[in-house]
Amino acid sequence: NAAAADHLKVTGTASMTAGANNELTVTAHDLYGNTATSYTGAKNLTFSGLANSPNGNVPSVEGTNFGSATSVTFTSGVSNATAATLIAYKAETASVDVSDGTITSAFDATHDLDLTVNAATASVLKITGTATQTAGTTNELTITAYDTFGNTATGYSGSKTLTFSGLATSPDGNVPTVEGTNFGTGLSVTFTSGVGTAT
């Protein structure tokens, strides 16, 4: 028979989209790498390793924030299916660790989950540039696409038709433009990994 549980191992899908579910499996091992089958029943596990999103969304397992204990049920050393559903929000590459307060997946580098979280689809644009300019001069604008969690939406790439608004025509009838296209008219702007520029 396997010896008593000595450490944990966490596995799951290695790449996911921010805001999506990732079904984790946690396995208890004895000192020799056998599945510790006596590790059974509800265990209070605390997950760590992922950061909050730019908008403050906290990664969670089974609705419990990282850093707080959540109950996960084990059968013969293995967490039950769908008993540890991870939701991550920050686009990053990081290692997910787990601990029950006594044993941990920080046993060695092969026992945590090396996870890549990709940004979700673009939900908002942000425009930046020089905050003050003189009439008739140019202002280099940067337009960045973000997902709903505040990550740069790197999948927002290629030519996009944008319509600029917010500035008035001058008293003499000069219409504000971007790349020579009047405000209120669609303009093609090329994005690379969520970022585009225009004058």
Side-chain angles (χ1 to χ4, degrees), residues 87-177:
I87 304 178
Y89 299 99
K90 178 178 171 60
E92 62 177 334
T93 297
S95 296
V96 177
D97 274 303
V98 63
S99 172
D100 71 357
T102 301
I103 61 175
T104 176
S105 63
F107 175 75
D108 63 31
T110 67
H111 285 71
D112 53 24
L113 172 63
D114 292 328
L115 177 65
T116 298
V117 182
N118 301 301
T121 57
S123 68
V124 65
L125 298 173
K126 180 176 182 178
I127 184 169
T128 55
T130 303
T132 302
Q133 73 177 92
T134 301
T137 63
T138 59
N139 194 340
E140 298 297 334
L141 307 179
T142 299
I143 306 97
T144 306
Y146 292 95
D147 69 11
T148 191
F149 310 112
N151 303 298
T152 299
T154 53
Y156 194 82
S157 293
S159 179
K160 308 293 181 181
T161 300
L162 304 184
T163 302
F164 292 82
S165 60
L167 299 182
T169 301
S170 78
D172 284 348
N174 304 95
V175 181
T177 64

